[in-house]
Amino acid sequence: MNAMPSPLQQQAQQLSDSVTRPIPGSRKVFAEGSRPDLRVAMREIAQTRTPTLFGGEDNPAITVYDTSGPYTDPDARIDLTAGLPSLRARWIEERGDTAPLPGLTSEFGRARECDARLDAVRFPARTLPRRAKDGANVTQMHYARRGIVTPEMEYVAIRENQRLELLGAAGGGGRHPLLMQHPGQSFGASIPARITPEFVRDEIARGRAILPCNINHPESEPMIIGRNFLTKINANIGNSAVSSGIAEEVEKLVWAIRWGADNVMDLSTGKHIHETREWIIRNSPVPIGTVPIYQALEKVDGRAEELTWEIFRDTLIEQAEQGVDYFTIHAGVLLRYVPLTAKRVTGIVSRGGSIMAKWCLAHHRESFLYEHFEEICEIMKAYDVAFSLGDGLRPGCIADANDAAQFGELETLGELTKIAWKHDVQTMIEGPGHVPMQLIRENMDKQLAECGEAPFYTLGPLTTDIAPGYDHITSAIGAAMIGWYGTAMLCYVTPKEHLGLPNRQDVRDGIMAYRIAAHAADLAKGHPGAQVRDNALSKARFEFRWEDQFHLGLDPEKAKEFHDETMPKDAHKLAHFCSMCGPHFCSMKITQDVREFAAGQGDATGSNADAGDVAAAGMAAKAAEFRAAGAELYRPG
Amino acid sequence: MNAMPSPLQQQAQQLSDSVTRPIPGSRKVFAEGSRPDLRVAMREIAQTRTPTLFGGEDNPAITVYDTSGPYTDPDARIDLTAGLPSLRARWIEERGDTAPLPGLTSEFGRARECDARLDAVRFPARTLPRRAKDGANVTQMHYARRGIVTPEMEYVAIRENQRLELLGAAGGGGRHPLLMQHPGQSFGASIPARITPEFVRDEIARGRAILPCNINHPESEPMIIGRNFLTKINANIGNSAVSSGIAEEVEKLVWAIRWGADNVMDLSTGKHIHETREWIIRNSPVPIGTVPIYQALEKVDGRAEELTWEIFRDTLIEQAEQGVDYFTIHAGVLLRYVPLTAKRVTGIVSRGGSIMAKWCLAHHRESFLYEHFEEICEIMKAYDVAFSLGDGLRPGCIADANDAAQFGELETLGELTKIAWKHDVQTMIEGPGHVPMQLIRENMDKQLAECGEAPFYTLGPLTTDIAPGYDHITSAIGAAMIGWYGTAMLCYVTPKEHLGLPNRQDVRDGIMAYRIAAHAADLAKGHPGAQVRDNALSKARFEFRWEDQFHLGLDPEKAKEFHDETMPKDAHKLAHFCSMCGPHFCSMKITQDVREFAAGQGDATGSNADAGDVAAAGMAAKAAEFRAAGAELYRPG
């Protein structure tokens, strides 16, 4: 490491204010677990009191799941050149089944370390990686199947519950009104009212959920992916040959998790893939995924036919020792499926899939990923890297949806899942793509049947091809639906899809669209507590608690900005209208008038009467009066 | 009229370039009907030839439905102070059942005409309105039920077919590949392969579709709303007390139809509602809707309790004589339903609904809209104004979805539909609102059952409350689904929903989200020809015909702008990659390489061989070679 910080290091020493200023209205809180070093980060949104005019009552703080890590915690000291605190290091050490390595195992990794030309871009504070001791299997699935509840599993259980227990009973007994929720339709999911560590263990043991947490990524805040948990989203970052440097990618990471990405994939295909990834993982509180074939392809200068199992194997180890939490591996692109794509409208749209197809054809051999799959499992289980079995043959347009190539690969992924589970390697299955709405359900049903309920992780799907520039929307529609049907994680699509590399604004837009899709899915599934935030926000809206409404939204900054475009003054935050309708036409204002009027007319039922009850009584009394006076209800015709 | 044009008139004399420049890649075309004055405007998107590298073939021009009117036709002469040509005037006159009035019928209208203070804002070129001759009923439903196919019905049939017949058979017989489409799931709709004027007549006669076309809006290009036709969208414009003048609203109209609004509602609640509406209708090629209670409320200075049937009646006539094509009338907000909203989280969120609720409570009487409903029908049928029966009690948050107030009103709307149909008044039914996904289907089923299959016209629905700033997306999800289930028209929601009056950018964003939802619904329903545009665009994408891809998209300007952010040069439009992946990693580029390679290896089958077949044969040959060589397919485990 140089004594003098490089320009990159200097840049990194300050993240821009836009990615670290606290999220308006929220403060970081921690829920305590069963041991002092188990503190689960969440966000708490305070609310103001309901105005006396509308009944005057306290409104509870709302706890929400938080992916933004220490970056939005004003008490945290951020130093990107040092990386985040190693939250899980002690838990990993205590398990006693891993040991630090004397050096890097991968050839490529060692070569990079010694290359002085990379000093300016290398992450400064690297420590030696760990690996399983001989014969040990260190995956969360391995522990789960042995009945062990790890600290990671406990962390996740606390995190998923979002401190709903604080909403307790309303004064006078009964459920808190904010907990009121429509029954869901979960298509056979099994979501308990309260997530316990034991439930987490059981779901992981069955393979129905995964907890991606490489032993070399101790900085990560544990999270879980599975249909019986909150629906998760993934954002993609990463440079290409045509765009973007390391500092920009790190900032995209922090930006992405600020807005709500549960996981991030680094899909870099440009310069310094290895170094970029190191900076990202060391500073990421969320699991990081990669597609190792990209870097393998870079090592052979873009000539797919020159890929070998050995190069790929070394790449897996290199990346596992950096701490990548899951690998997308297109082991289902078999030689016999490639001809099935010949007549497709858009062929093979997966980068990894097209690379493997090219290799298979050039060598006229079966995929080396498929052939060496068990050896891959041996590597994964030594570090606890999870599989994301890639959908290399996903449809890239509506016309190609649900074709033989796509479903053939899915069947093979099911076969590979069984093999992975033989090794207790955590596994999720990637999915489409471009699928019109009437064909989405079939994808979910087939995946459940073929893959033993392993978590499904789809890219959208896009429900039409005709809107380049708006594919975050074409796909949010499909993603919400497939999330409802049981998909566990939704990979985001930005407005730049099909057109270019996304910038920060695109990343934000993509994440917002996907947070919406994921939450819409949770509501539809009837996920316990999902409706709390909707209820709280709508109550705030109805009571004209504008700041509370903004703070409870997914994007408090945008909501306020939009409101203030036409009504910017502080006094406007107390206004009982906005510029949509103005003071005379605001329906909620008029509704409040109506309730007040009716309450004034109703019986005096004492000071504890519920305002809604009094209004209802008042209105009903008036209606009764009307009928009793003999006025017939007009019945035309 | 003043000799000297007012500032408003001067402003109007030039629409900004942004709303009138031709849509990139499109040209206006006209399909001829059975008479010389029946020419249906559409847009044709030319395509370039497939590069020789990829097979070298012509690509047909694609015809798409076009709502933009003469504004995007470089041959049209636009003069906003004169209004659009009266396309339908002769058809109306020929029917012989209407006559021009000697003056305006409504008191208010006459008062406005004489008020010199309004000279500067009055539309200059007004002519006298028409009305049905005594005893005549001039609705399209009335004609339809008498077996008459009007020119409007013929226009609509041609328009809906989108000149699909031009795609004819591919060389060598069989369907054109662009016509390939996945079978849909239409939940019992009855969409024929080809729309005939007789089919249109029958759908209108049954009440399953409406063709909104006031005899005083002869400038409108006929369009149809019904589940067996293309899914339509509506955009809202209009000022409020807090924002926006006449020129801005006219520009919003032209902007909205440019991007694809099938209908526009003028929801003005601010100054000069009457004059604003005149400018809008005279210049609108699409049907215009209003909510007459808003203007009625303005006439009583915002005091809902001072509304009377007489004021409302005069307002209906005033607006009908201007040419409004459909009225939203909240005749289902009955006294007995109002108490059912007392315990709601967001009460009554419909402006009209809250106004009527206030009136009913204040007078403790049944709604005057309900009481006088048949008199309203008598007015409507004299001008052919359609009902949009308002959902004044729609849910304004997830918690209130599908409650007794909402469904009670829906039942009453069903009852009122029957009455309207007794008078042959065209009728559609408005719908929600905020509804979580698992509750959407119930809305459609109930509406079909209660309202005799009258077209459903929903506002979204929004599938979650938690994303102010992004409600075009929360609602596009619900809109796509309810469109799939059978909703005929989707009323858009912009990013400004709940926060303020939308500006031009918001209008564009809302329309794009809703064009997406409507098209996704058409695909899912299996609407004949819906997939043509998706197929054409995806083929262009795969062949790196960048400009064709942009031109075929819903928003050619944005697609190109996004692409050019990172790859702006002309040469880039020939590039076989974009900045997402760069030249080595573009999967479609690699796929093309794979196909080329395989075709090179395959049999020489003669110059007419289909490239896909040759590639498939080549790849299959390689795979067979592999197996024949004795190499076993590795079968792990």
Side-chain angles (χ1 to χ4, degrees):
Chain A
M1 175 155 78
N2 288 354
M4 171 103 121
S6 70
L8 172 56
Q9 290 167 15
Q10 282 167 342
Q11 242 183 315
Q13 257 148 16
Q14 276 126 19
L15 274 174
S16 66
D17 169 75
S18 71
V19 297
T20 55
R21 60 180 180 244
I23 295 169
S26 283
R27 69 184 187 106
K28 192 77 89 177
V29 296
F30 293 87
E32 308 288 332
S34 68
R35 46 188 288 173
D37 63 352
L38 205 160
R39 301 170 72 239
V40 183
M42 306 182 182
R43 264 199 292 135
E44 185 183 76
I45 304 167
Q47 298 200 73
T48 58
R49 210 174 140 72
T50 298
T52 314
L53 184 63
F54 302 145
E57 59 186 340
D58 286 322
N59 293 298
I62 304 297
T63 302
V64 298
Y65 195 107
D66 181 22
T67 58
S68 61
Y71 298 100
T72 50
D73 182 355
D75 295 337
R77 217 186 133 275
I78 302 297
D79 178 0
L80 289 183
T81 64
L84 293 177
S86 292
L87 202 134
R88 301 194 298 114
R90 193 175 315 138
W91 308 345
I92 294 163
E93 284 159 25
E94 278 173 7
R95 290 197 267 270
D97 52 4
T98 63
L101 290 162
L104 299 182
T105 310
S106 90
E107 258 189 66
F108 182 85
R110 290 196 299 268
R112 291 302 268 200
E113 290 254 293
C114 307
D115 188 342
R117 294 168 299 173
L118 297 169
D119 288 351
V121 297
R122 194 178 294 112
F123 181 77
R126 191 74 179 91
T127 55
L128 286 168
R130 300 182 80 89
R131 194 175 63 193
K133 289 177 174 166
D134 273 346
N137 182 327
V138 301
T139 72
Q140 292 286 319
M141 188 180 209
H142 193 72
Y143 305 137
R145 283 177 162 180
R146 275 147 192 69
I148 299 166
V149 173
T150 61
E152 285 88 348
M153 294 172 199
E154 183 189 345
Y155 188 106
V156 151
I158 295 169
R159 198 174 191 185
E160 292 278 321
N161 284 320
Q162 303 176 93
R163 299 200 312 180
L164 273 178
E165 65 276 8
L166 293 188
L167 279 177
R175 279 165 71 79
H176 195 289
L178 283 180
L179 289 167
M180 294 306 295
Q181 178 157 328
H182 295 286
Q185 164 56 275
S186 75
F187 300 103
S190 318
I191 310 168
R194 189 175 168 69
I195 306 288
T196 60
E198 169 56 26
F199 178 75
V200 173
R201 185 206 61 73
D202 186 59
E203 289 289 296
I204 295 172
R206 295 162 170 262
R208 204 153 59 187
I210 70 169
L211 202 165
C213 58
N214 186 323
I215 58 174
N216 290 312
H217 186 193
E219 303 90 338
S220 66
E221 295 174 348
M223 59 81 70
I224 190 143
I225 302 169
R227 82 185 286 207
N228 293 324
F229 301 95
L230 292 163
T231 307
K232 306 302 190 301
I233 75 169
N234 174 84
N236 295 327
I237 62 173
N239 63 20
S240 78
V242 184
S243 206
S244 209
I246 295 181
E248 286 84 356
E249 293 310 313
V250 175
E251 188 147 343
K252 266 191 215 167
L253 163 76
V254 178
W255 184 244
I257 61 178
R258 173 188 182 80
W259 294 114
D262 293 288
N263 282 21
V264 165
M265 291 192 79
D266 173 10
L267 303 184
S268 292
T269 56
K271 293 184 69 171
H272 302 136
I273 294 177
H274 181 92
E275 290 70 30
T276 304
R277 185 170 47 244
E278 190 73 41
W279 280 91
I280 285 172
I281 298 175
R282 299 284 67 81
N283 287 294
S284 179
V286 303
I288 296 295
T290 63
V291 188
I293 200 81
Y294 298 170
Q295 193 181 2
L297 189 68
E298 200 203 55
K299 293 173 182 175
V300 296
D301 292 315
R303 291 184 290 270
E305 55 278 12
E306 293 187 20
L307 288 166
T308 65
W309 159 243
E310 288 72 24
I311 290 171
F312 187 77
R313 182 181 183 281
D314 193 71
T315 305
L316 290 182
I317 294 169
E318 166 209 339
Q319 297 196 5
E321 291 189 351
Q322 285 184 298
V324 172
D325 300 287
Y326 57 99
F327 290 146
T328 291
I329 292 180
H330 297 90
V333 179
L334 303 187
L335 184 58
R336 68 178 178 276
Y337 297 143
V338 179
L340 298 177
T341 67
K343 294 199 152 194
R344 278 184 161 186
V345 174
T346 47
I348 299 171
V349 296
S350 154
R351 289 176 190 163
S354 64
I355 291 166
M356 289 313 297
K358 190 168 187 184
W359 189 92
C360 290
L361 267 255
H363 294 272
H364 31 96
R365 287 195 54 175
E366 192 54 279
S367 155
F368 61 82
L369 299 176
Y370 184 82
E371 289 199 335
H372 295 273
F373 194 73
E374 291 219 64
E375 291 164 74
I376 296 174
C377 293
E378 297 287 349
I379 295 168
M380 312 283 272
K381 75 207 228 187
Y383 301 93
D384 196 5
V385 184
F387 275 119
S388 187
L389 293 179
D391 56 337
L393 302 182
R394 69 176 173 271
C397 64
I398 293 297
D400 296 341
N402 292 21
D403 73 352
Q406 177 192 344
F407 283 161
E409 179 184 46
L410 181 60
E411 286 161 21
T412 298
L413 297 188
E415 182 198 317
L416 293 171
T417 301
K418 293 184 178 65
I419 296 167
W421 284 352
K422 234 180 30 157
H423 294 268
D424 293 344
V425 176
Q426 305 195 76
T427 300
M428 60 182 170
I429 310 296
E430 291 184 9
H434 289 231
V435 184
M437 291 193 288
Q438 81 279 22
L439 299 186
I440 293 178
R441 181 72 189 272
E442 185 183 0
N443 278 274
M444 190 71 227
D445 291 345
K446 199 167 169 65
Q447 189 269 343
L448 284 168
E450 297 289 338
C451 303
E453 293 192 283
F456 206 17
Y457 167 33
T458 60
L459 180 62
L462 284 70
T463 52
T464 169
D465 305 335
I466 71 169
Y470 298 86
D471 279 321
H472 58 312
I473 300 180
T474 60
S475 65
I477 294 168
M481 291 173 64
I482 210 168
W484 176 21
Y485 300 153
T487 290
M489 186 155 75
L490 308 167
C491 184
Y492 89 164
V493 173
T494 76
K496 285 282 169 53
E497 188 72 15
H498 302 119
L499 300 170
L501 200 69
N503 61 27
R504 278 165 48 126
Q505 181 60 43
D506 301 314
V507 167
R508 180 181 189 172
D509 287 339
I511 287 170
M512 282 300 141
Y514 274 69
R515 279 264 63 97
I516 287 168
H519 186 78
D522 287 338
L523 283 176
K525 289 162 74 181
H527 194 104
Q531 205 176 304
V532 167
R533 197 169 179 175
D534 300 75
N535 295 340
L537 190 146
S538 292
K539 184 175 193 282
R541 172 174 288 154
F542 188 63
E543 296 170 1
F544 299 100
R545 289 184 280 121
W546 287 103
E547 299 274 11
D548 289 353
Q549 184 191 159
F550 303 153
H551 295 159
L552 286 161
L554 287 177
D555 189 340
E557 293 175 11
K558 172 135 291 181
K560 183 176 199 305
E561 177 196 322
F562 274 5
H563 174 271
D564 288 1
E565 258 183 49
T566 51
M567 293 186 50
K569 304 195 170 78
D570 281 353
H572 290 148
K573 300 299 185 300
L574 302 172
H576 291 187
F577 62 91
C578 72
S579 68
M580 178 77 94
C581 304
H584 293 305
F585 282 85
C586 174
S587 60
M588 294 193 303
K589 164 83 171 66
I590 297 172
T591 303
Q592 297 281 17
D593 294 347
V594 162
R595 290 185 176 188
E596 216 179 286
F597 171 84
Q601 299 289 328
D603 299 335
T605 50
S607 59
N608 284 335
D610 175 71
D613 283 335
V614 173
M619 290 193 253
K622 282 297 113 188
E625 203 180 284
F626 171 58
R627 289 188 300 272
E632 286 177 15
L633 237 53
Y634 172 77
R635 285 256 179 265
Chain B
M1 175 157 74
N2 289 355
M4 173 102 120
S6 70
L8 172 57
Q9 291 167 14
Q10 282 166 342
Q11 242 181 315
Q13 258 148 17
Q14 278 127 19
L15 276 174
S16 66
D17 168 74
S18 71
V19 297
T20 55
R21 59 181 182 246
I23 294 168
S26 282
R27 70 184 187 102
K28 192 76 89 172
V29 295
F30 294 87
E32 309 288 332
S34 68
R35 45 187 290 173
D37 63 351
L38 205 160
R39 302 171 71 238
V40 183
M42 306 182 182
R43 263 198 294 136
E44 185 184 75
I45 304 169
Q47 297 200 73
T48 59
R49 207 174 144 73
T50 297
T52 315
L53 185 61
F54 301 145
E57 57 185 341
D58 285 322
N59 292 297
I62 305 296
T63 304
V64 298
Y65 195 107
D66 182 22
T67 59
S68 61
Y71 298 101
T72 50
D73 181 355
D75 295 337
R77 218 185 131 275
I78 302 296
D79 178 0
L80 289 183
T81 63
L84 293 177
S86 292
L87 202 134
R88 301 192 300 113
R90 193 174 317 139
W91 307 346
I92 294 164
E93 285 160 25
E94 276 173 8
R95 289 195 270 268
D97 52 3
T98 63
L101 290 162
L104 299 182
T105 311
S106 90
E107 257 189 68
F108 181 85
R110 289 196 300 269
R112 292 302 268 201
E113 290 253 293
C114 306
D115 188 344
R117 293 169 299 174
L118 296 170
D119 287 351
V121 297
R122 193 178 295 110
F123 182 77
R126 191 76 177 91
T127 54
L128 285 168
R130 301 182 80 89
R131 193 174 64 195
K133 289 175 172 166
D134 274 345
N137 183 329
V138 301
T139 73
Q140 292 287 319
M141 189 181 208
H142 192 70
Y143 305 137
R145 284 176 160 180
R146 276 145 192 71
I148 299 165
V149 172
T150 61
E152 286 88 348
M153 295 173 200
E154 182 189 346
Y155 187 106
V156 151
I158 295 169
R159 197 173 192 186
E160 290 278 321
N161 284 321
Q162 302 176 94
R163 298 203 309 181
L164 274 178
E165 65 275 10
L166 292 187
L167 279 177
R175 280 165 70 78
H176 194 291
L178 283 180
L179 289 167
M180 295 305 295
Q181 178 157 329
H182 295 286
Q185 164 54 278
S186 74
F187 300 104
S190 318
I191 311 169
R194 190 174 166 70
I195 306 288
T196 60
E198 169 55 27
F199 179 76
V200 173
R201 186 207 60 73
D202 186 60
E203 289 288 297
I204 295 172
R206 295 163 170 262
R208 205 153 57 188
I210 71 169
L211 203 164
C213 57
N214 186 324
I215 58 176
N216 289 313
H217 186 193
E219 302 90 337
S220 66
E221 296 174 348
M223 58 82 69
I224 190 142
I225 302 168
R227 82 184 288 207
N228 293 325
F229 300 95
L230 292 164
T231 306
K232 306 302 191 301
I233 75 170
N234 174 86
N236 295 326
I237 63 174
N239 63 20
S240 79
V242 184
S243 204
S244 208
I246 295 182
E248 286 85 356
E249 292 311 313
V250 175
E251 186 145 344
K252 265 189 216 169
L253 163 77
V254 179
W255 184 244
I257 62 179
R258 172 188 182 81
W259 294 115
D262 293 288
N263 283 18
V264 165
M265 291 193 77
D266 173 10
L267 303 184
S268 293
T269 56
K271 294 183 70 172
H272 301 137
I273 294 177
H274 180 91
E275 289 69 30
T276 304
R277 184 169 47 244
E278 190 73 41
W279 280 92
I280 285 171
I281 298 176
R282 300 282 68 81
N283 287 294
S284 178
V286 303
I288 297 294
T290 62
V291 187
I293 200 83
Y294 297 169
Q295 193 181 3
L297 189 68
E298 199 203 54
K299 292 173 182 175
V300 296
D301 292 316
R303 291 184 290 267
E305 56 278 13
E306 292 185 20
L307 287 165
T308 64
W309 160 242
E310 288 72 23
I311 290 171
F312 187 78
R313 183 179 181 282
D314 194 71
T315 306
L316 290 181
I317 294 169
E318 167 209 339
Q319 298 197 5
E321 290 189 352
Q322 286 185 296
V324 172
D325 300 287
Y326 57 98
F327 291 145
T328 291
I329 292 180
H330 299 89
V333 179
L334 304 187
L335 184 58
R336 68 179 177 276
Y337 296 143
V338 179
L340 299 176
T341 67
K343 293 199 156 195
R344 278 183 161 186
V345 175
T346 47
I348 298 170
V349 296
S350 153
R351 289 176 189 163
S354 64
I355 292 165
M356 290 313 298
K358 191 168 186 185
W359 188 92
C360 289
L361 267 255
H363 294 272
H364 30 97
R365 286 195 55 175
E366 192 54 279
S367 156
F368 62 82
L369 299 176
Y370 184 83
E371 289 197 337
H372 294 272
F373 193 75
E374 291 217 66
E375 290 164 73
I376 297 174
C377 293
E378 297 287 349
I379 295 168
M380 312 283 271
K381 74 206 228 191
Y383 302 93
D384 196 4
V385 184
F387 275 118
S388 186
L389 292 179
D391 55 337
L393 303 181
R394 67 175 175 274
C397 64
I398 294 296
D400 296 340
N402 292 22
D403 73 352
Q406 177 190 342
F407 283 159
E409 178 183 47
L410 180 60
E411 286 162 20
T412 298
L413 297 188
E415 183 197 317
L416 293 171
T417 300
K418 293 184 178 67
I419 296 169
W421 285 352
K422 233 178 32 154
H423 294 268
D424 293 345
V425 176
Q426 305 194 76
T427 300
M428 60 183 171
I429 310 295
E430 292 184 8
H434 289 232
V435 184
M437 292 192 288
Q438 81 280 22
L439 299 186
I440 292 178
R441 182 72 190 270
E442 186 183 359
N443 279 274
M444 190 71 228
D445 291 346
K446 199 164 170 64
Q447 189 269 343
L448 283 168
E450 296 290 338
C451 302
E453 295 191 281
F456 206 17
Y457 167 33
T458 60
L459 180 62
L462 285 71
T463 52
T464 169
D465 305 337
I466 71 169
Y470 298 85
D471 279 322
H472 58 312
I473 300 179
T474 60
S475 64
I477 294 167
M481 291 172 64
I482 210 169
W484 176 21
Y485 300 151
T487 289
M489 185 156 75
L490 308 167
C491 184
Y492 89 164
V493 173
T494 76
K496 286 282 170 52
E497 189 72 15
H498 302 119
L499 300 170
L501 200 69
N503 61 27
R504 276 165 50 125
Q505 181 61 43
D506 301 315
V507 168
R508 181 182 189 171
D509 287 339
I511 287 170
M512 282 300 140
Y514 274 69
R515 278 264 64 97
I516 287 167
H519 186 77
D522 287 338
L523 283 176
K525 289 163 74 181
H527 193 104
Q531 203 176 307
V532 166
R533 196 169 179 175
D534 300 75
N535 294 341
L537 190 146
S538 293
K539 183 174 193 283
R541 172 175 287 153
F542 188 64
E543 296 169 2
F544 299 100
R545 289 183 279 121
W546 287 104
E547 300 273 12
D548 289 352
Q549 183 190 159
F550 304 153
H551 295 158
L552 287 161
L554 287 176
D555 190 341
E557 293 175 12
K558 173 135 289 179
K560 183 176 200 304
E561 177 196 321
F562 273 5
H563 174 272
D564 288 2
E565 257 182 48
T566 51
M567 292 187 49
K569 302 196 172 77
D570 282 354
H572 290 147
K573 299 301 185 300
L574 302 173
H576 291 186
F577 62 90
C578 72
S579 69
M580 178 75 94
C581 304
H584 293 305
F585 281 84
C586 175
S587 60
M588 295 193 304
K589 165 81 170 68
I590 297 172
T591 303
Q592 297 282 16
D593 294 345
V594 162
R595 288 185 177 190
E596 214 179 287
F597 171 85
Q601 298 288 329
D603 299 335
T605 49
S607 59
N608 283 335
D610 175 72
D613 283 335
V614 173
M619 291 194 251
K622 283 297 116 188
E625 205 182 282
F626 172 56
R627 289 190 296 274
E632 286 178 14
L633 236 53
Y634 172 75
R635 284 257 178 264

